[in-house]
Amino acid sequence: MAESEGSDTPLQKRQRLVREAAGWLAVLGVLIPGLQRFYMGHRRWGWGYLVLGLMVFVPSIPLQILSYGVRALCLLEGLWLLTMTNEDFDFRFNRDLIELDWTSAQDREVRDPEQQLQSQLQQGLITRAEYEERRRQIRRIS
């Protein structure tokens, strides 16, 4: 197990978060606020949501309004999480667990047909005559 620098406690490897689970827990936050925050490992936020969400039982109208606001926030957060793509969710919440695919500008795919032809010619995949013929065809089409 890896150890953090300057600390004697070992790092815990956490599980990958699931977008649907976090989203539905947030929607369930209309009844019990903060579940999605506990699931995502944000314990302080979870306790904050839970305490503010339970203020609905306090006989004070401003605190009850605050409680309903937290519950509405949970609903909105749930809808946001459920409509998010898996890639966005992983980038935001599972960034330490995903392998990012870094490529240089030279390695990325060229979309311009003439540049593709030029690249094929430089790599020796086509002859100069084939290059000229295909380039004329591309220019006729466009």
Side-chain angles (χ1 to χ4, degrees), residues 105-117 119:
Q106 293 176 344
D107 292 340
R108 78 172 175 232
E109 185 178 328
V110 180
R111 297 188 189 273
D112 182 27
E114 287 193 37
Q115 287 181 350
Q116 286 179 347
L117 278 177
S119 174

Side-chain angles (χ1 to χ4, degrees), residues 65-78:
I65 291 172
L66 180 65
S67 175
Y68 287 120
V70 167
R71 291 166 187 260
L73 182 66
C74 286
L75 178 64
L76 290 174
E77 188 174 350

Side-chain angles (χ1 to χ4, degrees), residues 82-110:
L82 289 172
T83 58
M84 182 183 288
T85 64
N86 285 330
E87 291 80 21
D88 285 341
F89 183 83
D90 284 341
F91 184 74
R92 288 176 186 266
F93 301 109
N94 291 323
R95 189 178 302 179
D96 55 333
L97 299 177
I98 61 173
E99 294 290 328
L100 297 176
D101 185 23
W102 296 100
T103 58
S104 67
Q106 293 176 344
D107 292 340
R108 78 172 175 232
E109 185 178 328
V110 180

